[in-house]
């Protein structure tokens, strides 16, 4: 886990402690959990602790089309 100071250093254009919704812009690999495939709408933080982005499933799928997908989260 990254410390907040490391996050602030990497994401200088985001609010302190916030992370961007898309890592590719920062040269980071993004892994998408397969459970997102079942969601008709996706809401992601916009990097400022205040703004929420609303995407359709199709928009999010296009945004993450080249990202590896896998099953790594679990629901009880």
């Amino acid at each position: 886990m990254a410390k907040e100071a490391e996050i602030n250093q990497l994401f200088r254009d985001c609010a302190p402690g916030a992370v961007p919704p898309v890592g590719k812009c920062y040269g980071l690999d993004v892994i998408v959990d397969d459970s997102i495939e079942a969601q008709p709408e996706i809401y992601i933080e916009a990097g400022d602790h205040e703004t929420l982005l609303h995407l359709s499933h199709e928009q999010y799928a296009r945004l993450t089309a080249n990202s590896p997908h896998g099953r790594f989260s679990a629901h009880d």
Side-chain angles (χ1 to χ4, degrees):
M1 295 288 273
K3 297 190 183 322
E4 189 166 326
E6 294 172 306
I7 292 171
N8 293 342
Q9 189 74 20
L10 185 58
F11 307 124
R12 294 177 187 259
D13 58 338
C14 293
V19 296
V22 182
K24 216 50 158 160
C25 301
Y26 297 88
L28 299 174
D29 294 327
V30 174
I31 302 171
V32 179
D33 191 279
D34 288 339
S35 65
I36 291 180
E37 295 298 317
Q39 303 303 315
E41 300 176 278
I42 310 293
Y43 293 87
I44 52 180
E45 292 184 43
D48 65 4
H49 300 296
E50 295 177 13
T51 308
L52 196 60
L53 300 176
H54 174 229
L55 303 171
S56 69
H57 174 78
E58 292 77 20
Q59 290 171 316
Y60 188 77
R62 279 195 310 271
L63 189 63
T64 59
N66 296 324
S67 298
H69 288 63
R71 194 154 263 259
F72 53 87
S73 66
H75 281 295
D76 289 333

